[in-house]
Amino acid sequence: GNSVTQMEGPVTLSEEAFLTINCTYTATGYPSLFWYVQYPGEGLQLLLKATKADDKGSNKGFEATYRKETTSFHLEKGSVQVSDSAVYFCALSDQSSGSARQLTFGSGTQLTVLP
Amino acid sequence: DTEVTQTPKHLVMGMTNKKSLKCEQHMGHRAMYWYKQKAKKPPELMFVYSYEKLSINESVPSRFSPECPNSSLLNLHLHALQPEDSALYLCASSQGGTVSNQPQHFGDGTRLSIL
């Protein structure tokens, strides 16, 4: 079956530090890959996505590249802000038996950015 | 603001009560989802509706009963819940069909507490 493995948290950084959150996946087909962010008290927001190998998703200074050879989709940001403090989920979307695609989530990584 | 609206935001109920959670989207999406999320964990899929038909039920206890009255609305009827059912309940929608690169859009959830 499909699975997503994320680096364990929590991660604590100082403002303006470089961020990497590792994500690797196992899938039988050619999945689409996503990063979602969940701020305290809110639902999940789509941060970025990539649909095929070598695609780079980017949004709000965050980037991730779909690496088929290493089955990875690591999230990076060059300079984090206090407002980036949240839980980050890596996810993949696969072919399902019905006509709606299911998401497989990683365990989530709690990021805290200190001023 | 999210494009998927969930009501109520908070719900406290006793184990003998009957209540309903509501979800609405006006993006023309044809797939809608219910998830359960416990603290510090990723969302767990409960149900998927595709073109208003239940396509996936992830072995959810019968005290949870989903309903999709039309393509914009999704309900989750609750009856005789247990304390372990206390969680954040998230609704999501996506374009559905066979295209896997369309992301799911989440609401902010209903935080449910069972006394």
Side-chain angles (χ1 to χ4, degrees):
Chain A
N2 298 326
S3 67
V4 175
T5 302
Q6 277 182 245
M7 66 183 285
E8 291 190 14
V11 173
T12 302
L13 297 173
S14 297
E15 206 164 24
E16 299 184 3
F18 185 85
L19 169 70
T20 299
I21 300 178
N22 290 338
C23 171
T24 57
Y25 68 90
T26 302
T28 52
Y30 300 93
S32 293
L33 301 174
F34 307 90
W35 277 101
Y36 283 87
V37 58
Q38 187 172 31
Y39 298 101
E42 297 184 11
L44 276 68
Q45 297 178 23
L46 177 68
L47 183 58
L48 51 84
K49 70 175 186 180
T51 59
K52 60 184 188 297
D54 300 325
D55 266 2
K56 177 185 282 190
S58 61
N59 185 26
K60 299 181 182 179
F62 291 89
E63 293 183 342
T65 301
Y66 189 144
R67 300 285 189 200
K68 192 169 185 298
E69 63 276 12
T70 54
T71 62
S72 65
F73 192 55
H74 305 321
L75 182 68
E76 296 181 337
K77 186 175 186 183
S79 176
V80 293
Q81 305 301 311
V82 172
S83 56
D84 294 327
S85 298
V87 180
Y88 292 81
F89 291 99
C90 184
L92 69 81
S93 175
D94 67 330
Q95 173 88 40
S96 60
S97 58
S99 60
R101 302 287 169 153
Q102 293 189 62
L103 281 176
T104 300
F105 286 97
S107 57
T109 302
Q110 171 75 56
L111 170 67
T112 301
V113 180
L114 302 175
Chain B
D1 290 342
T2 60
E3 296 169 318
V4 177
T5 304
Q6 290 188 244
T7 56
K9 292 192 182 304
H10 302 275
L11 179 62
V12 179
M13 58 187 287
M15 289 190 284
T16 58
N17 291 156
K18 286 185 181 181
K19 296 285 185 184
S20 297
L21 308 185
K22 296 186 184 301
C23 175
E24 189 168 5
Q25 59 88 12
H26 294 288
M27 294 178 282
H29 290 173
R30 302 311 299 271
M32 296 186 77
Y33 311 76
W34 280 116
Y35 289 87
K36 175 183 178 181
Q37 187 181 26
K38 300 287 265 186
K40 302 186 187 302
K41 298 290 187 182
E44 300 172 21
L45 184 65
M46 300 174 72
F47 302 103
V48 181
Y49 273 84
S50 179
Y51 295 89
E52 293 110 74
K53 290 188 183 347
L54 183 64
S55 64
I56 296 174
N57 176 340
E58 291 287 0
S59 303
V60 179
S62 60
R63 57 186 184 268
F64 295 91
S65 175
E67 178 196 19
C68 189
N70 60 55
S71 60
S72 300
L73 294 174
L74 186 66
N75 298 321
L76 185 63
H77 303 298
L78 315 173
H79 174 54
L81 295 194
Q82 303 299 308
E84 61 265 28
D85 297 324
S86 297
L88 181 68
Y89 287 84
L90 293 165
C91 174
S93 70
S94 68
Q95 287 192 359
T98 58
V99 180
S100 73
N101 61 3
Q102 298 306 314
Q104 291 183 23
H105 297 255
F106 286 81
D108 281 339
T110 294
R111 188 158 299 283
L112 177 65
S113 298
I114 307 300
L115 301 179

mmCIF file of all heavy atoms in Angstrom, chain A residues 65-89:
data_model
loop_
_atom_site.group_PDB
_atom_site.id
_atom_site.type_symbol
_atom_site.label_atom_id
_atom_site.label_comp_id
_atom_site.label_asym_id
_atom_site.label_seq_id
_atom_site.Cartn_x
_atom_site.Cartn_y
_atom_site.Cartn_z
ATOM 1 N N THR A 65 10.321 19.806 -4.200
ATOM 2 C CA THR A 65 10.517 19.221 -5.526
ATOM 3 C C THR A 65 10.210 17.739 -5.488
ATOM 4 O O THR A 65 10.687 17.022 -4.600
ATOM 5 C CB THR A 65 11.955 19.445 -6.020
ATOM 6 O OG1 THR A 65 12.216 20.849 -6.064
ATOM 7 C CG2 THR A 65 12.154 18.849 -7.407
ATOM 8 N N TYR A 66 9.425 17.277 -6.426
ATOM 9 C CA TYR A 66 9.018 15.867 -6.559
ATOM 10 C C TYR A 66 10.210 15.104 -7.122
ATOM 11 O O TYR A 66 10.534 15.220 -8.298
ATOM 12 C CB TYR A 66 7.829 15.831 -7.518
ATOM 13 C CG TYR A 66 7.071 14.535 -7.671
ATOM 14 C CD1 TYR A 66 5.700 14.579 -7.856
ATOM 15 C CD2 TYR A 66 7.688 13.292 -7.703
ATOM 16 C CE1 TYR A 66 4.945 13.434 -8.056
ATOM 17 C CE2 TYR A 66 6.957 12.136 -7.891
ATOM 18 C CZ TYR A 66 5.590 12.218 -8.074
ATOM 19 O OH TYR A 66 4.848 11.072 -8.269
ATOM 20 N N ARG A 67 10.841 14.284 -6.279
ATOM 21 C CA ARG A 67 12.016 13.517 -6.692
ATOM 22 C C ARG A 67 11.638 12.047 -6.774
ATOM 23 O O ARG A 67 11.532 11.366 -5.753
ATOM 24 C CB ARG A 67 13.153 13.687 -5.682
ATOM 25 C CG ARG A 67 13.619 15.114 -5.501
ATOM 26 C CD ARG A 67 14.434 15.588 -6.635
ATOM 27 N NE ARG A 67 15.060 16.886 -6.373
ATOM 28 C CZ ARG A 67 15.507 17.696 -7.319
ATOM 29 N NH1 ARG A 67 15.372 17.367 -8.610
ATOM 30 N NH2 ARG A 67 16.067 18.835 -6.990
ATOM 31 N N LYS A 68 11.451 11.557 -7.998
ATOM 32 C CA LYS A 68 11.017 10.169 -8.166
ATOM 33 C C LYS A 68 12.144 9.204 -7.820
ATOM 34 O O LYS A 68 11.923 8.138 -7.256
ATOM 35 C CB LYS A 68 10.524 9.961 -9.598
ATOM 36 C CG LYS A 68 9.783 8.650 -9.818
ATOM 37 C CD LYS A 68 9.101 8.644 -11.174
ATOM 38 C CE LYS A 68 8.261 7.393 -11.371
ATOM 39 N NZ LYS A 68 9.066 6.168 -11.337
ATOM 40 N N GLU A 69 13.380 9.609 -8.133
ATOM 41 C CA GLU A 69 14.496 8.680 -7.929
ATOM 42 C C GLU A 69 14.760 8.412 -6.456
ATOM 43 O O GLU A 69 15.230 7.331 -6.097
ATOM 44 C CB GLU A 69 15.758 9.214 -8.620
ATOM 45 C CG GLU A 69 16.292 10.517 -8.089
ATOM 46 C CD GLU A 69 15.619 11.746 -8.669
ATOM 47 O OE1 GLU A 69 14.568 11.603 -9.322
ATOM 48 O OE2 GLU A 69 16.134 12.852 -8.431
ATOM 49 N N THR A 70 14.449 9.405 -5.608
ATOM 50 C CA THR A 70 14.641 9.223 -4.169
ATOM 51 C C THR A 70 13.298 9.115 -3.438
ATOM 52 O O THR A 70 13.279 9.044 -2.207
ATOM 53 C CB THR A 70 15.435 10.391 -3.557
ATOM 54 O OG1 THR A 70 14.787 11.626 -3.895
ATOM 55 C CG2 THR A 70 16.867 10.400 -4.078
ATOM 56 N N THR A 71 12.203 9.083 -4.176
ATOM 57 C CA THR A 71 10.829 9.079 -3.632
ATOM 58 C C THR A 71 10.703 10.070 -2.482
ATOM 59 O O THR A 71 10.281 9.715 -1.362
ATOM 60 C CB THR A 71 10.384 7.670 -3.206
ATOM 61 O OG1 THR A 71 11.232 7.184 -2.155
ATOM 62 C CG2 THR A 71 10.396 6.729 -4.377
ATOM 63 N N SER A 72 11.075 11.320 -2.768
ATOM 64 C CA SER A 72 11.052 12.335 -1.719
ATOM 65 C C SER A 72 10.329 13.591 -2.171
ATOM 66 O O SER A 72 10.182 13.849 -3.379
ATOM 67 C CB SER A 72 12.478 12.676 -1.290
ATOM 68 O OG SER A 72 13.174 13.281 -2.355
ATOM 69 N N PHE A 73 9.909 14.383 -1.194
ATOM 70 C CA PHE A 73 9.209 15.650 -1.461
ATOM 71 C C PHE A 73 9.464 16.555 -0.253
ATOM 72 O O PHE A 73 8.570 16.927 0.482
ATOM 73 C CB PHE A 73 7.716 15.375 -1.668
ATOM 74 C CG PHE A 73 6.929 16.533 -2.236
ATOM 75 C CD1 PHE A 73 7.306 17.140 -3.420
ATOM 76 C CD2 PHE A 73 5.773 16.982 -1.606
ATOM 77 C CE1 PHE A 73 6.566 18.186 -3.962
ATOM 78 C CE2 PHE A 73 5.020 18.030 -2.136
ATOM 79 C CZ PHE A 73 5.418 18.627 -3.317
ATOM 80 N N HIS A 74 10.726 16.913 -0.063
ATOM 81 C CA HIS A 74 11.127 17.679 1.119
ATOM 82 C C HIS A 74 10.666 19.129 1.029
ATOM 83 O O HIS A 74 10.823 19.767 -0.021
ATOM 84 C CB HIS A 74 12.646 17.642 1.276
ATOM 85 C CG HIS A 74 13.212 16.257 1.333
ATOM 86 N ND1 HIS A 74 12.607 15.208 1.991
ATOM 87 C CD2 HIS A 74 14.353 15.746 0.786
ATOM 88 C CE1 HIS A 74 13.341 14.124 1.878
ATOM 89 N NE2 HIS A 74 14.402 14.418 1.146
ATOM 90 N N LEU A 75 10.188 19.655 2.144
ATOM 91 C CA LEU A 75 9.717 21.039 2.205
ATOM 92 C C LEU A 75 10.858 21.939 2.684
ATOM 93 O O LEU A 75 11.523 21.617 3.673
ATOM 94 C CB LEU A 75 8.532 21.155 3.167
ATOM 95 C CG LEU A 75 7.896 22.534 3.296
ATOM 96 C CD1 LEU A 75 7.190 22.926 2.008
ATOM 97 C CD2 LEU A 75 6.905 22.563 4.461
ATOM 98 N N GLU A 76 11.056 23.079 2.000
ATOM 99 C CA GLU A 76 12.117 24.006 2.372
ATOM 100 C C GLU A 76 11.605 25.443 2.357
ATOM 101 O O GLU A 76 10.707 25.785 1.585
ATOM 102 C CB GLU A 76 13.301 23.898 1.395
ATOM 103 C CG GLU A 76 13.984 22.555 1.419
ATOM 104 C CD GLU A 76 15.169 22.497 0.470
ATOM 105 O OE1 GLU A 76 15.205 23.287 -0.490
ATOM 106 O OE2 GLU A 76 16.060 21.654 0.685
ATOM 107 N N LYS A 77 12.210 26.243 3.231
ATOM 108 C CA LYS A 77 11.984 27.688 3.205
ATOM 109 C C LYS A 77 13.265 28.360 3.654
ATOM 110 O O LYS A 77 13.876 27.960 4.649
ATOM 111 C CB LYS A 77 10.826 28.098 4.104
ATOM 112 C CG LYS A 77 10.485 29.597 3.970
ATOM 113 C CD LYS A 77 9.263 29.998 4.760
ATOM 114 C CE LYS A 77 8.908 31.457 4.462
ATOM 115 N NZ LYS A 77 7.756 31.959 5.246
ATOM 116 N N GLY A 78 13.648 29.387 2.942
ATOM 117 C CA GLY A 78 14.943 30.009 3.200
ATOM 118 C C GLY A 78 15.010 30.811 4.475
ATOM 119 O O GLY A 78 16.075 30.900 5.106
ATOM 120 N N SER A 79 13.905 31.404 4.887
ATOM 121 C CA SER A 79 13.921 32.288 6.050
ATOM 122 C C SER A 79 12.543 32.226 6.710
ATOM 123 O O SER A 79 11.587 32.830 6.218
ATOM 124 C CB SER A 79 14.251 33.711 5.611
ATOM 125 O OG SER A 79 14.184 34.610 6.703
ATOM 126 N N VAL A 80 12.453 31.497 7.817
ATOM 127 C CA VAL A 80 11.141 31.309 8.439
ATOM 128 C C VAL A 80 10.770 32.507 9.315
ATOM 129 O O VAL A 80 11.639 33.238 9.801
ATOM 130 C CB VAL A 80 11.088 30.016 9.283
ATOM 131 C CG1 VAL A 80 11.190 28.800 8.378
ATOM 132 C CG2 VAL A 80 12.166 29.998 10.356
ATOM 133 N N GLN A 81 9.467 32.684 9.494
ATOM 134 C CA GLN A 81 8.929 33.742 10.326
ATOM 135 C C GLN A 81 8.126 33.131 11.474
ATOM 136 O O GLN A 81 7.703 31.963 11.399
ATOM 137 C CB GLN A 81 8.018 34.650 9.499
ATOM 138 C CG GLN A 81 8.687 35.233 8.267
ATOM 139 C CD GLN A 81 9.909 36.064 8.615
ATOM 140 O OE1 GLN A 81 9.848 36.929 9.486
ATOM 141 N NE2 GLN A 81 11.027 35.813 7.953
ATOM 142 N N VAL A 82 7.901 33.931 12.507
ATOM 143 C CA VAL A 82 7.108 33.448 13.642
ATOM 144 C C VAL A 82 5.741 32.954 13.165
ATOM 145 O O VAL A 82 5.212 31.946 13.657
ATOM 146 C CB VAL A 82 6.954 34.547 14.702
ATOM 147 C CG1 VAL A 82 5.980 34.119 15.782
ATOM 148 C CG2 VAL A 82 8.312 34.892 15.325
ATOM 149 N N SER A 83 5.186 33.623 12.165
ATOM 150 C CA SER A 83 3.865 33.272 11.647
ATOM 151 C C SER A 83 3.837 31.927 10.909
ATOM 152 O O SER A 83 2.753 31.427 10.580
ATOM 153 C CB SER A 83 3.358 34.360 10.705
ATOM 154 O OG SER A 83 4.286 34.574 9.660
ATOM 155 N N ASP A 84 4.995 31.343 10.662
ATOM 156 C CA ASP A 84 5.053 30.015 10.032
ATOM 157 C C ASP A 84 4.866 28.890 11.045
ATOM 158 O O ASP A 84 4.803 27.709 10.668
ATOM 159 C CB ASP A 84 6.391 29.815 9.315
ATOM 160 C CG ASP A 84 6.563 30.737 8.124
ATOM 161 O OD1 ASP A 84 5.549 31.048 7.463
ATOM 162 O OD2 ASP A 84 7.710 31.164 7.874
ATOM 163 N N SER A 85 4.798 29.223 12.307
ATOM 164 C CA SER A 85 4.597 28.204 13.352
ATOM 165 C C SER A 85 3.268 27.493 13.119
ATOM 166 O O SER A 85 2.203 28.129 13.091
ATOM 167 C CB SER A 85 4.619 28.857 14.733
ATOM 168 O OG SER A 85 5.864 29.452 14.999
ATOM 169 N N ALA A 86 3.317 26.188 12.939
ATOM 170 C CA ALA A 86 2.136 25.402 12.571
ATOM 171 C C ALA A 86 2.553 23.942 12.499
ATOM 172 O O ALA A 86 3.715 23.596 12.711
ATOM 173 C CB ALA A 86 1.584 25.858 11.224
ATOM 174 N N VAL A 87 1.580 23.087 12.155
ATOM 175 C CA VAL A 87 1.867 21.684 11.878
ATOM 176 C C VAL A 87 1.823 21.492 10.362
ATOM 177 O O VAL A 87 0.893 21.951 9.701
ATOM 178 C CB VAL A 87 0.860 20.741 12.563
ATOM 179 C CG1 VAL A 87 1.187 19.286 12.241
ATOM 180 C CG2 VAL A 87 0.874 20.953 14.070
ATOM 181 N N TYR A 88 2.829 20.816 9.837
ATOM 182 C CA TYR A 88 2.951 20.596 8.401
ATOM 183 C C TYR A 88 2.768 19.118 8.102
ATOM 184 O O TYR A 88 3.409 18.257 8.725
ATOM 185 C CB TYR A 88 4.315 21.098 7.904
ATOM 186 C CG TYR A 88 4.427 22.596 7.995
ATOM 187 C CD1 TYR A 88 4.735 23.217 9.207
ATOM 188 C CD2 TYR A 88 4.192 23.406 6.885
ATOM 189 C CE1 TYR A 88 4.809 24.612 9.301
ATOM 190 C CE2 TYR A 88 4.265 24.786 6.965
ATOM 191 C CZ TYR A 88 4.565 25.375 8.184
ATOM 192 O OH TYR A 88 4.635 26.749 8.287
ATOM 193 N N PHE A 89 1.878 18.823 7.122
ATOM 194 C CA PHE A 89 1.598 17.453 6.726
ATOM 195 C C PHE A 89 1.992 17.255 5.261
ATOM 196 O O PHE A 89 1.559 18.009 4.388
ATOM 197 C CB PHE A 89 0.104 17.127 6.858
ATOM 198 C CG PHE A 89 -0.404 17.072 8.265
ATOM 199 C CD1 PHE A 89 -1.067 18.152 8.819
ATOM 200 C CD2 PHE A 89 -0.244 15.920 9.021
ATOM 201 C CE1 PHE A 89 -1.560 18.102 10.128
ATOM 202 C CE2 PHE A 89 -0.724 15.856 10.330
ATOM 203 C CZ PHE A 89 -1.379 16.957 10.876
#
